[in-house]
Amino acid sequence: MCLNLSAATAERRTPAMRLKGAQAAIICLLTLSVQRQDGWSVTYTSTQICALKGSTVDIRCTYTYPSRVNGNVTVVEKAVWFTKMKDDEHVDVRTEAEFAGRVQYHCDNKDCTLRITDLRESDSAEYTFRFVTNQPGGKYSGSPGVTLSVTVLQVQVIKTWPRTYPTWKKVMCQSSCRLPDPHSYVWYQNEVNTDRKESSFEKYFDYTDSISCAVKGYEKLPSPSVCVDDQTCNRVSYTSRSICALKGSSVNISCIYSHTHPAVSKFWFSPERSHQQQHRSHPEDLRKDSHYAGRVEVIETERGRSTLRIRDLTERDSAEYHFIFKTQSFEWKSSLPGTTLTVTALQVKVSRIISVHQTQTEAELKCESSCSPAGRLSYVWFKNGQKNTTQQTSAYTDYFNPGDNISCAFSGYEDYRSPSVYPSKLPSVSVSPSGEIVEGSSVTLTCRTDADPAANNTLYKGKQTLPLTPEGIYHFTSISSEDRGIYDCKTEDQLSVSLFIDVQYAPKFPSVSVSPSGELVEGSSVTLTCSSDANPAANYTWYKEDDNSAKTSGQNFIITDFRPEHSGSYYCEAQNTRGRRSSTSHPLTVVTGKSIIIQNIIRLTLVVLMLIPLLLVILWMRKKKPLSSTAESNELMETMEIQSIYRQDSADGNRK
């Protein structure tokens, strides 16, 4: 894949001259395929990705694996993206606290995409895809993976003619990695769009001007505003573009600002609140908003830095916050993005029920939130009020007794836990009888939630909905091999638990193939192959008719030196723990050298015999042609004689 990356260049000219157009550099990112020779592979769409802080990125791959190994059907049981390992285990990015609420998997039909939203610079890493199957040793990681670089735009100001034209400046929009083209830029001078699209330009600036840039389409992610002159200018620059905070906690939203003349007024406001109160054109100081009464304060411990502190956060506080100021000659109207605050509350949900016992339920729980606070965080789990020191990811697997209550929190935010849940009263799916399931047997699936009032559940196999009885039961009167697969039990709130049913069955009717096909010449090599669908995989035995002893075992039967005594009919028998079945007989006949001569003589004789009638027909036709010509000549002579006699008689009559 080729990306057109633009690096703006300009010739140094006098201010009266215009800049020369930007030159483009082409960088090709080759699709990387990591594979083994036995059919296992992972192929990434891109190996290097550059993305803006705060944006969303998709990291995509496709993967392959053998459909069968030793006769066993391959089933993918787990697929993850990871950046690190812990205790020799690959850590699923979905379980890491710093990715909470920001990552999603979109996986289907050997294609898997990792989506990361609200990118942070700490997300820069190598992302590797790994999948695990039901086959022995059937695990594969596509290493090396995809390198993601998260960048922040910065404006660089260059004095091109400092002595001759001190106010003539060149400004460049830069990033730490190359962003893919095609793209253009947006420039803001004193937060007003200048309608320029190039990555750099030169012009006269006033000493009070500030400048900021953004990539077209990502105007919500501009660079910090900088002064084009080394002195003070009019600008506001926010410490963070987005903040995640926990419900009930406090948050500080800060900015750095400057103005060239004394400020007449300055305050924090939220466009959403102003819009709700129909004062969008006249921003309202949050300290005067009744919604924030007694919960907000503005702190200025140093000149040029303002901090908005909001206490006892509620989910209604999720909004975008701006700082504005006004002087006698200038007003910062805050048309550029401010800081977006997201207030979240942790929740414990059941990802799957592993097993259900008479007194215990083994379950995997997940601690979920719409976002996560900045920093390298981990999770803290509480069971019956006691802190679990061994679980530090969003996933928690354990045995739970009736009455157990579970909650979770971010490390450092233990006072803001999730509401407690009771895993033993959560959705469950089970199969009866337990143990091995044989084709043709009667099987019962139970999908239910132990709750009061009773919950409605739905049972799925893939996209197919299976009807449940009021008791949450689905019954197979005679289960078949086609019923093998994963079944999902979903609750009304879309919590889902899965169960894999492995149906064992005797070998299906075996088929036999012979290589090479056609006549088998004495002394040649011949291979017979037996195939049968079976679970567990079948073992094969070869027999020759009228010979009770087995010839060999294995899927292939090879006769390296085929002799007349090998001629006969062969068949194979497929057998597993569930039964056995034989194929039809396949005759093999050796063709010796003497037999070949006799066959050739017979063929030649047949050809001659077929040619004799053809030759006789040709001779007959040739003989018939002269006879026909003679008869026609005689007939013509007779006609002429008759005509002559007739004329003579006519002449005599006239004389009389």
Side-chain angles (χ1 to χ4, degrees), residues 207-225:
Y207 76 96
T208 63
D209 289 338
S210 64
I211 195 78
S212 175
C213 68
V215 173
K216 183 71 174 177
Y218 296 88
E219 288 85 349
K220 288 287 187 180
L221 306 171
S223 71
S225 295

Side-chain angles (χ1 to χ4, degrees), residues 161-389:
W161 301 89
R163 294 184 179 179
T164 312
Y165 305 96
T167 59
W168 178 268
K169 307 287 176 63
K170 176 182 179 180
V171 290
M172 302 176 64
C173 193
Q174 298 180 326
S175 59
S176 59
C177 58
R178 291 187 178 274
L179 295 167
D181 256 3
H183 69 265
S184 58
Y185 292 86
V186 180
W187 287 92
Y188 302 94
Q189 183 175 331
N190 299 324
E191 73 170 350
V192 177
N193 193 329
T194 64
D195 293 328
R196 289 184 176 271
K197 299 179 180 180
E198 58 269 42
S199 62
S200 68
F201 65 92
E202 297 183 29
K203 63 171 291 214
Y204 286 108
F205 288 95
D206 189 85
Y207 76 96
T208 63
D209 289 338
S210 64
I211 195 78
S212 175
C213 68
V215 173
K216 183 71 174 177
Y218 296 88
E219 288 85 349
K220 288 287 187 180
L221 306 171
S223 71
S225 295
V226 299
C227 297
V228 294
D229 199 81
D230 296 334
Q231 301 177 10
T232 301
C233 66
N234 296 312
R235 70 167 180 142
V236 173
S237 182
Y238 297 94
T239 305
S240 300
R241 288 293 181 187
S242 64
I243 296 177
C244 175
L246 293 170
K247 182 180 178 180
S249 66
S250 298
V251 68
N252 289 338
I253 304 173
S254 300
C255 74
I256 297 172
Y257 69 94
S258 62
H259 38 76
T260 56
H261 296 88
V264 176
S265 65
K266 53 185 178 180
F267 57 87
W268 287 86
F269 82 101
S270 170
E272 286 91 336
R273 294 294 301 172
S274 297
H275 178 69
Q276 291 173 11
Q277 298 178 16
Q278 298 181 351
H279 294 298
R280 189 172 184 84
S281 59
H282 301 285
E284 181 183 17
D285 190 337
L286 287 178
R287 291 171 293 188
K288 299 178 181 179
D289 190 333
S290 59
H291 172 70
Y292 297 94
R295 297 193 299 121
V296 301
E297 63 176 317
V298 176
I299 304 169
E300 291 203 15
T301 56
E302 58 182 286
R303 184 180 178 183
R305 176 181 288 273
S306 181
T307 300
L308 171 67
R309 177 172 293 172
I310 310 175
R311 296 184 296 272
D312 193 18
L313 287 168
T314 68
E315 290 174 312
R316 286 182 60 197
D317 295 331
S318 296
E320 187 176 332
Y321 294 86
H322 292 257
F323 178 81
I324 61 174
F325 64 83
K326 184 177 182 180
T327 70
Q328 290 182 346
S329 59
F330 180 83
E331 182 179 1
W332 186 270
K333 297 181 179 179
S334 196
S335 59
L336 289 174
T339 296
T340 300
L341 170 66
T342 304
V343 180
T344 186
L346 292 172
Q347 284 187 314
V348 175
K349 292 189 175 182
V350 180
S351 58
R352 64 190 178 106
I353 299 295
I354 300 171
S355 61
V356 179
H357 306 275
Q358 188 172 2
T359 59
Q360 288 183 320
T361 298
E362 184 184 10
E364 181 186 67
L365 310 181
K366 282 195 174 180
C367 188
E368 296 184 352
S369 65
S370 59
C371 62
S372 64
R376 293 291 182 181
L377 300 174
S378 60
Y379 287 91
V380 181
W381 287 91
F382 298 89
K383 184 175 183 179
N384 299 324
Q386 298 298 313
K387 185 176 180 179
N388 186 321
T389 58

